[in-house]
Amino acid sequence: MKAMVLHERGRAGVALREMPAPDCPPGWARVRMVAASVNRVDLYMRDSGAGITHDLPLIMGVDGVGEVIDAPGQPHLAPGDKVILYPYEFCGHCRACLAGDQPLCHSARILGEHRHGTFAEEVALPARALVKLAPEADMERAAVLGVAYLTAWRMVFGKAPVGPGSVVMIQGAGGGVSYAAVQLARMAGARVIATTSGADKLAHFRARGIEVIDYRSEDVPKTVLRLTGGEGADLVVDNVGEATWGASLRSVARGGHLVTCGATTGAHPSADIQRLFVRQISIHGSTMGSMDEFRRLIRAWEAGGFTPLIDRAFSLAEVPEAFAHLEDPARMGKILIRIS
Amino acid sequence: MKAMVLHERGRAGVALREMPAPDCPPGWARVRMVAASVNRVDLYMRDSGAGITHDLPLIMGVDGVGEVIDAPGQPHLAPGDKVILYPYEFCGHCRACLAGDQPLCHSARILGEHRHGTFAEEVALPARALVKLAPEADMERAAVLGVAYLTAWRMVFGKAPVGPGSVVMIQGAGGGVSYAAVQLARMAGARVIATTSGADKLAHFRARGIEVIDYRSEDVPKTVLRLTGGEGADLVVDNVGEATWGASLRSVARGGHLVTCGATTGAHPSADIQRLFVRQISIHGSTMGSMDEFRRLIRAWEAGGFTPLIDRAFSLAEVPEAFAHLEDPARMGKILIRIS
Amino acid sequence: MKAMVLHERGRAGVALREMPAPDCPPGWARVRMVAASVNRVDLYMRDSGAGITHDLPLIMGVDGVGEVIDAPGQPHLAPGDKVILYPYEFCGHCRACLAGDQPLCHSARILGEHRHGTFAEEVALPARALVKLAPEADMERAAVLGVAYLTAWRMVFGKAPVGPGSVVMIQGAGGGVSYAAVQLARMAGARVIATTSGADKLAHFRARGIEVIDYRSEDVPKTVLRLTGGEGADLVVDNVGEATWGASLRSVARGGHLVTCGATTGAHPSADIQRLFVRQISIHGSTMGSMDEFRRLIRAWEAGGFTPLIDRAFSLAEVPEAFAHLEDPARMGKILIRIS
Amino acid sequence: MKAMVLHERGRAGVALREMPAPDCPPGWARVRMVAASVNRVDLYMRDSGAGITHDLPLIMGVDGVGEVIDAPGQPHLAPGDKVILYPYEFCGHCRACLAGDQPLCHSARILGEHRHGTFAEEVALPARALVKLAPEADMERAAVLGVAYLTAWRMVFGKAPVGPGSVVMIQGAGGGVSYAAVQLARMAGARVIATTSGADKLAHFRARGIEVIDYRSEDVPKTVLRLTGGEGADLVVDNVGEATWGASLRSVARGGHLVTCGATTGAHPSADIQRLFVRQISIHGSTMGSMDEFRRLIRAWEAGGFTPLIDRAFSLAEVPEAFAHLEDPARMGKILIRIS
Ligand SMILES: [Zn+2]
Ligand SMILES: [Zn+2]
Ligand SMILES: [Zn+2]
Ligand SMILES: [Zn+2]
């Protein structure tokens, strides 16, 4: 089968190759991939991969959707069923798995990181890591839910749940995960304040009724305080890291929360312990979401709660171009890979 | 001042009377009432009042809005400020008040029940029971928030919080509190299934994209199970009581919740203990909401999250007619009393 | 192998028989049973079994401990390892299992109810349903944890968690589950008020510093209110049912909780809806506990937090006598079955 | 009346003085002080006071107990009643107060910081800030609860509640707040691992069955991981700050929590964002506790759940010596000031 493979580190190491179709042990299912999405971690794998146990060549791609080819002994999965792939091959019997917290599985293998991924014509996974979609599901929208929207779901609902009456401030709101957080928080009835830059992005948010701060020209914490009558945000979502951490902490309301799933600009700002205890602030690290959160996300999407934003679509052979597009600061929302 | 007074039990005992203006002790504020709303408990006071310590004549009316006349020694309240009244005169120093759970205040006096209410040109209350509204607030919409929407808020968010991905089933969804629950659950991103009867009400909900069950012609639990793939509702809101309790219990998902704030058709159905423990169901009694919930509700309304439904408006002198209209089964949403 | 089998309904249908040793499919483990315990549900299976899909002859016994015989392909389980059996054979891939709520597994098969149980020399189970004990574990104490203590754990910690400063009232505190609830609530720092009858039981609790009410001679709600300065209990544990339900509801504090996992005296008392909402009471049905709760329970026991109370021990051949002893009202705590 | 006054910054500025008895406005109560305790913030006020609005001379002392002299118009408080003082004069009507979160009161004035404190023969406070003790209460033990034990209560129970089956690691466990955290976590059934140094302190904890790590000679995170089978602590309590922050973060289990109320060795360690999100760790800043937490603490103490540790007692005139003793690293637990 054809697959987009990382055969050596760096941009030149990503190429479409013929690869053997995957094995399908008992309890597993084979899926004919329909579409996948590009995630920031793909660039990390391409350029470094440090700290992640894996071998090259590696089929890339963390999330996606497809149709069941076969699922021997799994009566709830029939050939042709539309399915979405949970991005972790989790063990199902460790303490974390038995507690329903699959992202903390002691032996989780992430697709496209520790094992072959979704940029391929076929993928095999334990049947328990597949969630069935409705026959009428829009597969291209579904293809981008697995990482960005699931990660945003846990950030917005899993640590310090937001809802009507909450104020959520989201840093760098044009990115895939951050944009998803904006949509999920709005769907839940929260008031959202987004920071971004560039006239197009500012206009995009304003057109959707979202308050927006241009972080290049405005003082973010001062503006958040002004917009909230001096209180600050109940929840701040910050995946930017060092460049924004201090401003994020100064934007949180007393008794409020800051949640992070990434630190692209650096991971070592000051912890500012005194601010934390004087103002009773909580900080939460978050990664992915559980199978239960995945089902809730899919259910909310199927009910029409939100429509994933797709910036642009590429073919499987164009993954290198899709990676380049991911690094374009003007991009907004998710990048799709069409496979079949 | 003019006020709608209950001077003796029964329909004939409700009349517009001249009453002395209220005293305003230190720490209190006087409010010129603008509008109020009719609540089911008004009928209970008119017809029985049993179990509620009070004297006649009693000025009726539990909730409402107005403008501050004066608030001596309260720098945050100025004459002319628009305010909404919290329906409880709470003590502020008992264990429940100090824990922020004012509905459980050991010596709470409810307006229009234990003390004079809001169907009057002037009301005096402890300043801490007033919440300031924005200068541009729509006072007629605000007037109906105090009881129905606050009670619905605690039912929907205070016991087993709902949000995107949740399924909420609401019995008798045309009533003031139940209709409010429909709106609040929708605002929070939940999927709502309403039961009601009558072609107009069914059409009203369908037009707003809400799934609806005609309880006169359909089997409610079976339909809920069918609509939810056999799972049932995560939360059932039932203020009807004996007539619907059994159907409500059979509509709850395993591990789900039923919440109630009233029992107009009777309070003594079977507790069905076995169903509760086999299916791990929780039942929650709920009454009103706290000052903190009140502020969140108002904040969510001010942010445009929902628009209270007003069925019809009456003048202060027409309160008896408003009470009659409350008993009309075709009514939907809230009944407003215009005062000034 | 030898096993205590139910071959026909009723007391005469329980007999020690030779049965084939169980199969051990891939992913499963075989266990040489050391000890088990008797539970009230055993009597239900013996006398009725209605509503529980099963075939006779059925090996009885729901919980127990043993040593691994073999666990092919399970590197964390070695022959000779001491293990405790989780009483449910759960599927591991349904929605409830993936959410870590195994008691709600869509296809759970309970040992000794839907499938062969623990009153046998050998048992086979999916490896994920076994929890390893320390090599020095006291196997007889461990043998009684699986049903009674796990059920009590979820009742005391899983619905409305109790801790220091909480008041817990426990009805009929001599029973296996209720006695476990007394111990667990005490371990967590709560104040416990137990109801029981009989001079021996009253003395037993008093000697351990537990407040006790003789329900035959005292008015339970009045006494609870007197002991708590008029407030009532934050949590009431009631597995008795109709005979005590009303008294339990009148003993709950405003804003408090009642939890139940059984109704031996009847399941249909009045729901008393009005009391629920006026006093903001929550009622929780509870059954068993999850794998995560099971591990916490075992960890707390291994840390010395409590010592399971064993009333009396019988051999495998004496199970019929153990059943008779379970029905003796003077019994207190758990009944042990020694197997090897 | 006599009072220990800070009349100028520094050690020489603390002296016993004659001061006017306090006023007692309506709604307030006057208290004849019996005992108080010394807290680390006293040294901060003595030596700096920066960032805290106050005037000199200032009566020092943040917490304590006494007997009511008079409480006009407060029927629940009679002359002679034993009371404990909540250390905050809170407003009772701001958003935080109405939500029951008094430590976040918008205009809170802390005793001995923003207003006169407890090292005096008489103190006046709003009646709502006094909690009545039982007539038989041990006033010297009660005198040390107000700051150290209340702060520890919120750290242990208010952010990520611990109980049976939890592992709590407490840094620098000899200090007043940290020692209180050890006792409260133990009372709640948690397993406690304390770090400390010095043979006496190590022996003190071991004698009470508490696992202890000598941070001078052992690698703290490695030891915590070894003691917990590689998992780490569910909750780490760290009031030390920069000197221990990194070790604390490496001792937290995946999905676990770190809570802090102080940073005596510095407030600016690295936030280590990557560790937070990869391991899904939450960090909570905490300060004091609410009135509701105060009542629960007192109730748990009155029920015999723990006995506050008093290191040494001084008279009111000896406060300067008590301050010196507070700085002695060999000290353990609380320092008492006897007033009458
Ligand atoms: Zn796992
Ligand atoms: Zn009160
Ligand atoms: Zn299952
Ligand atoms: Zn305040």
Side-chain angles (χ1 to χ4, degrees):
Chain A
M1 64 172 189
K2 288 195 161 40
M4 186 54 65
V5 168
L6 181 70
H7 54 84
E8 63 176 49
R9 208 61 65 192
R11 286 173 198 225
V14 180
L16 196 66
R17 290 273 171 96
E18 193 67 25
M19 293 286 284
D23 284 338
C24 185
W28 287 46
R30 284 193 307 147
V31 176
R32 178 172 301 112
M33 294 303 296
V34 169
S37 93
V38 169
N39 291 288
R40 188 155 286 278
V41 72
D42 297 333
L43 304 185
Y44 181 77
M45 293 307 295
R46 181 191 70 183
D47 298 335
S48 157
I52 295 175
T53 307
H54 65 289
D55 297 309
L56 299 188
L58 176 78
I59 300 176
M60 301 189 77
V62 185
D63 55 7
V65 295
E67 292 177 6
V68 172
I69 299 169
D70 50 9
Q74 305 294 324
H76 66 296
L77 287 178
D81 279 352
K82 289 182 173 181
V83 289
I84 183 166
L85 286 67
Y86 184 72
Y88 282 51
E89 183 193 319
F90 55 96
C91 79
H93 57 253
C94 73
R95 186 181 161 213
C97 284
L98 289 171
D101 201 358
Q102 290 82 9
L104 294 183
C105 172
H106 298 195
S107 55
R109 301 172 69 222
I110 304 177
L111 281 64
E113 299 189 32
H114 306 89
R115 49 150 280 168
H116 287 318
T118 58
F119 296 163
E121 291 177 318
E122 274 186 35
V123 170
L125 261 185
R128 64 175 169 262
L130 299 177
V131 178
K132 214 151 74 169
L133 298 173
E136 67 277 15
D138 176 335
M139 295 294 270
E140 299 207 342
R141 299 286 177 185
V144 307
L145 296 174
V147 169
Y149 283 81
L150 180 56
T151 299
W153 183 279
R154 177 167 276 202
M155 294 179 83
V156 171
F157 302 127
K159 303 293 179 175
V162 307
S166 303
V167 178
V168 182
M169 192 273 262
I170 298 171
Q171 294 275 25
V177 175
S178 301
Y179 193 90
V182 170
Q183 290 185 293
L184 299 185
R186 288 270 290 184
M187 168 174 56
R191 177 180 170 195
V192 175
I193 300 172
T195 80
T196 194
S197 71
D200 285 359
K201 291 189 183 178
L202 290 162
H204 174 96
F205 287 112
R206 286 200 187 104
R208 281 152 186 79
I210 293 162
E211 294 162 275
V212 67
I213 300 174
D214 181 346
Y215 63 73
R216 289 217 184 116
S217 61
E218 295 177 88
D219 181 308
V220 170
K222 273 190 193 161
T223 310
V224 171
L225 291 174
R226 180 173 51 73
L227 291 172
T228 57
E231 288 188 3
D234 299 305
L235 178 70
V236 170
V237 175
D238 182 338
N239 304 322
V240 179
E242 242 172 86
T244 54
W245 196 257
S248 289
L249 278 178
R250 290 194 302 279
S251 303
V252 183
R254 300 199 302 163
H257 301 261
L258 187 161
V259 63
T260 181
C261 76
T264 47
T265 63
H268 295 289
S270 162
D272 202 352
I273 301 175
Q274 192 162 6
R275 172 171 287 269
L276 298 191
F277 68 76
V278 168
R279 300 177 67 85
Q280 309 233 23
I281 293 170
S282 290
I283 294 175
H284 308 276
S286 190
T287 301
M288 284 290 296
S290 67
M291 281 298 294
D292 191 55
E293 292 169 314
F294 200 33
R295 281 174 194 274
R296 287 174 190 272
L297 165 67
I298 293 162
R299 199 201 253 185
W301 169 67
E302 289 186 335
F306 67 99
T307 303
L309 180 70
I310 294 174
D311 182 84
R312 205 169 135 190
F314 295 84
S315 71
L316 180 58
E318 294 167 327
V319 162
E321 289 79 2
F323 285 175
H325 186 61
L326 183 64
E327 296 178 286
D328 176 354
R331 174 193 57 87
M332 235 184 136
K334 293 289 295 173
I335 299 170
L336 184 77
I337 305 299
R338 292 193 176 114
I339 299 177
S340 72
Chain B
M1 64 171 192
K2 288 195 163 39
M4 186 54 65
V5 169
L6 181 71
H7 54 85
E8 62 175 50
R9 208 61 66 193
R11 286 172 197 223
V14 181
L16 195 68
R17 289 273 170 96
E18 193 66 25
M19 294 286 284
D23 284 338
C24 186
W28 286 45
R30 283 193 308 147
V31 176
R32 179 173 299 110
M33 295 303 295
V34 169
S37 92
V38 169
N39 291 288
R40 189 155 286 278
V41 71
D42 298 331
L43 304 186
Y44 181 76
M45 292 307 294
R46 182 190 69 182
D47 297 336
S48 156
I52 295 175
T53 307
H54 65 289
D55 296 311
L56 300 189
L58 175 78
I59 300 176
M60 302 188 77
V62 185
D63 55 7
V65 295
E67 292 177 8
V68 172
I69 300 170
D70 51 10
Q74 305 294 324
H76 66 295
L77 286 178
D81 279 354
K82 288 182 174 179
V83 288
I84 182 167
L85 285 68
Y86 183 71
Y88 283 51
E89 183 194 319
F90 56 95
C91 79
H93 56 253
C94 72
R95 186 181 162 212
C97 284
L98 290 170
D101 201 357
Q102 291 82 10
L104 293 184
C105 173
H106 298 196
S107 54
R109 299 171 70 223
I110 304 177
L111 281 64
E113 299 189 31
H114 305 89
R115 48 150 281 167
H116 286 320
T118 57
F119 294 163
E121 290 176 320
E122 276 187 33
V123 169
L125 261 186
R128 64 176 168 261
L130 299 177
V131 178
K132 215 150 76 169
L133 298 173
E136 68 277 14
D138 177 335
M139 294 294 268
E140 299 207 342
R141 299 286 178 187
V144 308
L145 296 174
V147 170
Y149 283 80
L150 180 54
T151 298
W153 184 279
R154 177 166 277 201
M155 294 179 83
V156 171
F157 302 127
K159 303 292 178 174
V162 306
S166 303
V167 177
V168 182
M169 192 273 264
I170 299 173
Q171 294 275 26
V177 174
S178 301
Y179 193 91
V182 170
Q183 290 185 293
L184 299 183
R186 288 271 289 184
M187 169 175 58
R191 175 180 171 195
V192 175
I193 301 171
T195 79
T196 193
S197 71
D200 285 359
K201 291 189 183 177
L202 290 161
H204 174 97
F205 287 112
R206 287 201 186 104
R208 281 152 186 80
I210 294 162
E211 293 163 276
V212 66
I213 301 174
D214 181 346
Y215 62 74
R216 290 216 185 119
S217 61
E218 295 177 88
D219 180 307
V220 170
K222 273 191 195 160
T223 311
V224 171
L225 291 174
R226 180 175 49 75
L227 291 171
T228 57
E231 288 189 2
D234 299 305
L235 178 70
V236 170
V237 176
D238 183 338
N239 304 321
V240 179
E242 243 171 85
T244 54
W245 197 258
S248 289
L249 278 178
R250 289 194 302 279
S251 303
V252 183
R254 299 199 303 163
H257 301 261
L258 186 163
V259 62
T260 180
C261 76
T264 46
T265 61
H268 295 290
S270 162
D272 202 350
I273 301 176
Q274 192 163 4
R275 173 170 287 267
L276 298 190
F277 66 75
V278 168
R279 299 176 69 84
Q280 309 234 21
I281 294 170
S282 291
I283 294 175
H284 308 276
S286 190
T287 302
M288 285 289 295
S290 68
M291 281 299 294
D292 192 54
E293 291 168 313
F294 200 33
R295 282 175 194 273
R296 288 174 190 272
L297 165 68
I298 293 162
R299 200 199 250 185
W301 169 66
E302 289 186 336
F306 66 99
T307 303
L309 179 70
I310 294 175
D311 181 83
R312 203 167 138 191
F314 295 83
S315 71
L316 180 58
E318 294 167 326
V319 163
E321 289 80 3
F323 284 175
H325 186 62
L326 183 64
E327 295 176 286
D328 176 353
R331 176 193 56 87
M332 235 187 136
K334 292 290 295 173
I335 299 170
L336 184 77
I337 305 298
R338 292 192 177 114
I339 300 177
S340 73
Chain C
M1 66 173 189
K2 286 194 164 39
M4 185 56 63
V5 169
L6 181 69
H7 55 86
E8 62 176 49
R9 208 62 63 193
R11 287 174 198 223
V14 180
L16 196 67
R17 291 272 171 97
E18 194 65 26
M19 294 287 284
D23 284 338
C24 186
W28 286 45
R30 284 192 307 147
V31 177
R32 179 173 299 110
M33 294 303 296
V34 170
S37 94
V38 170
N39 291 288
R40 189 156 287 277
V41 72
D42 298 332
L43 304 186
Y44 181 76
M45 293 307 294
R46 182 191 68 183
D47 298 335
S48 156
I52 296 175
T53 307
H54 65 288
D55 296 310
L56 299 188
L58 175 77
I59 300 177
M60 301 188 78
V62 184
D63 56 6
V65 295
E67 292 177 7
V68 171
I69 299 170
D70 50 11
Q74 305 293 324
H76 66 294
L77 286 178
D81 279 351
K82 289 181 173 181
V83 289
I84 182 167
L85 286 67
Y86 183 70
Y88 283 50
E89 184 194 319
F90 55 97
C91 79
H93 57 253
C94 72
R95 185 179 163 214
C97 283
L98 289 170
D101 201 358
Q102 291 82 11
L104 294 183
C105 173
H106 298 194
S107 54
R109 299 170 71 222
I110 305 177
L111 281 65
E113 299 188 32
H114 305 89
R115 49 151 280 168
H116 287 319
T118 57
F119 296 163
E121 290 176 320
E122 276 187 34
V123 170
L125 260 186
R128 63 176 170 263
L130 299 177
V131 179
K132 212 150 77 168
L133 299 173
E136 68 276 15
D138 177 335
M139 294 294 269
E140 300 207 341
R141 299 287 177 186
V144 307
L145 295 175
V147 170
Y149 284 80
L150 179 55
T151 299
W153 184 279
R154 177 166 276 203
M155 294 180 82
V156 171
F157 302 127
K159 303 292 179 174
V162 306
S166 303
V167 177
V168 182
M169 191 273 263
I170 298 172
Q171 294 276 26
V177 175
S178 301
Y179 192 91
V182 170
Q183 290 185 292
L184 299 184
R186 288 272 289 183
M187 168 175 57
R191 177 181 170 195
V192 175
I193 301 172
T195 78
T196 193
S197 71
D200 284 0
K201 290 188 183 178
L202 290 161
H204 174 96
F205 287 112
R206 285 201 187 104
R208 281 152 186 80
I210 294 162
E211 293 162 276
V212 66
I213 300 174
D214 181 346
Y215 62 75
R216 290 216 185 118
S217 61
E218 296 176 87
D219 180 308
V220 169
K222 273 191 193 159
T223 310
V224 171
L225 291 174
R226 181 174 51 74
L227 291 171
T228 57
E231 289 188 2
D234 299 304
L235 178 69
V236 170
V237 176
D238 182 339
N239 304 322
V240 179
E242 242 172 84
T244 54
W245 196 257
S248 289
L249 278 178
R250 290 193 303 278
S251 302
V252 183
R254 298 199 303 164
H257 301 261
L258 186 163
V259 62
T260 180
C261 76
T264 45
T265 63
H268 295 289
S270 162
D272 203 349
I273 301 176
Q274 191 162 6
R275 173 170 287 269
L276 298 190
F277 67 78
V278 168
R279 301 177 68 86
Q280 308 233 23
I281 293 170
S282 291
I283 294 176
H284 307 277
S286 191
T287 301
M288 284 292 294
S290 68
M291 281 299 293
D292 192 55
E293 291 169 313
F294 199 35
R295 280 175 197 274
R296 288 174 190 272
L297 165 69
I298 293 162
R299 201 200 249 184
W301 169 66
E302 289 185 337
F306 67 99
T307 303
L309 180 70
I310 294 174
D311 182 84
R312 204 168 136 190
F314 295 84
S315 71
L316 180 58
E318 294 167 327
V319 163
E321 289 80 3
F323 285 174
H325 186 62
L326 183 63
E327 296 178 285
D328 175 354
R331 173 194 58 87
M332 237 186 134
K334 293 289 297 172
I335 299 170
L336 184 77
I337 304 298
R338 292 191 177 115
I339 300 177
S340 71
Chain D
M1 66 172 190
K2 287 195 163 41
M4 186 55 64
V5 169
L6 181 70
H7 54 86
E8 61 175 50
R9 209 61 65 192
R11 285 173 200 226
V14 181
L16 196 67
R17 290 274 170 94
E18 193 66 24
M19 292 288 282
D23 284 338
C24 186
W28 287 46
R30 285 193 305 147
V31 176
R32 179 173 298 113
M33 295 302 296
V34 169
S37 94
V38 170
N39 292 288
R40 190 155 286 277
V41 72
D42 298 332
L43 304 185
Y44 181 75
M45 292 307 294
R46 183 191 68 184
D47 297 336
S48 158
I52 295 174
T53 307
H54 66 289
D55 297 310
L56 300 187
L58 175 78
I59 300 176
M60 302 189 76
V62 184
D63 57 6
V65 294
E67 291 177 7
V68 172
I69 299 169
D70 51 11
Q74 305 293 324
H76 65 294
L77 286 178
D81 278 353
K82 289 181 172 180
V83 289
I84 182 165
L85 286 67
Y86 183 72
Y88 282 51
E89 184 193 318
F90 56 97
C91 80
H93 56 254
C94 73
R95 187 180 160 213
C97 283
L98 289 172
D101 201 357
Q102 291 81 10
L104 294 183
C105 173
H106 299 193
S107 54
R109 301 170 70 222
I110 304 177
L111 281 66
E113 298 188 32
H114 306 89
R115 49 150 281 167
H116 287 318
T118 57
F119 296 163
E121 290 176 319
E122 275 186 33
V123 169
L125 261 186
R128 64 176 169 261
L130 299 177
V131 179
K132 214 150 76 168
L133 299 172
E136 67 277 15
D138 177 335
M139 294 294 269
E140 300 207 340
R141 299 286 177 185
V144 308
L145 296 174
V147 170
Y149 283 80
L150 180 55
T151 299
W153 184 278
R154 178 167 276 204
M155 295 179 82
V156 172
F157 302 127
K159 303 292 179 176
V162 306
S166 304
V167 177
V168 183
M169 193 273 263
I170 298 171
Q171 293 276 25
V177 175
S178 301
Y179 193 91
V182 171
Q183 291 185 292
L184 299 185
R186 288 272 288 184
M187 169 175 55
R191 177 180 171 195
V192 175
I193 302 171
T195 80
T196 193
S197 71
D200 285 359
K201 290 188 182 179
L202 290 161
H204 175 96
F205 287 111
R206 285 199 187 106
R208 281 152 187 80
I210 294 162
E211 294 163 274
V212 67
I213 301 174
D214 181 346
Y215 62 74
R216 291 218 184 116
S217 62
E218 296 176 86
D219 180 307
V220 169
K222 273 190 194 161
T223 311
V224 171
L225 290 175
R226 181 175 48 75
L227 291 171
T228 56
E231 289 188 2
D234 299 304
L235 178 70
V236 170
V237 176
D238 182 339
N239 304 321
V240 179
E242 242 172 82
T244 54
W245 197 257
S248 289
L249 278 179
R250 290 194 302 281
S251 303
V252 183
R254 299 199 303 163
H257 301 261
L258 186 161
V259 62
T260 179
C261 75
T264 45
T265 63
H268 296 288
S270 162
D272 202 349
I273 300 175
Q274 191 162 7
R275 173 170 287 269
L276 298 191
F277 69 76
V278 169
R279 300 177 68 83
Q280 309 234 22
I281 293 170
S282 291
I283 295 176
H284 308 276
S286 190
T287 302
M288 285 289 294
S290 67
M291 281 297 295
D292 192 55
E293 291 170 314
F294 200 33
R295 280 174 196 274
R296 287 174 191 272
L297 165 68
I298 294 162
R299 200 200 250 185
W301 169 65
E302 289 185 338
F306 67 99
T307 303
L309 181 69
I310 294 174
D311 182 84
R312 205 169 136 190
F314 295 84
S315 71
L316 180 59
E318 295 168 328
V319 163
E321 289 80 1
F323 285 174
H325 186 61
L326 183 63
E327 297 177 286
D328 176 353
R331 173 193 60 87
M332 233 185 140
K334 293 289 297 172
I335 299 170
L336 184 77
I337 305 299
R338 292 191 177 115
I339 300 177
S340 70

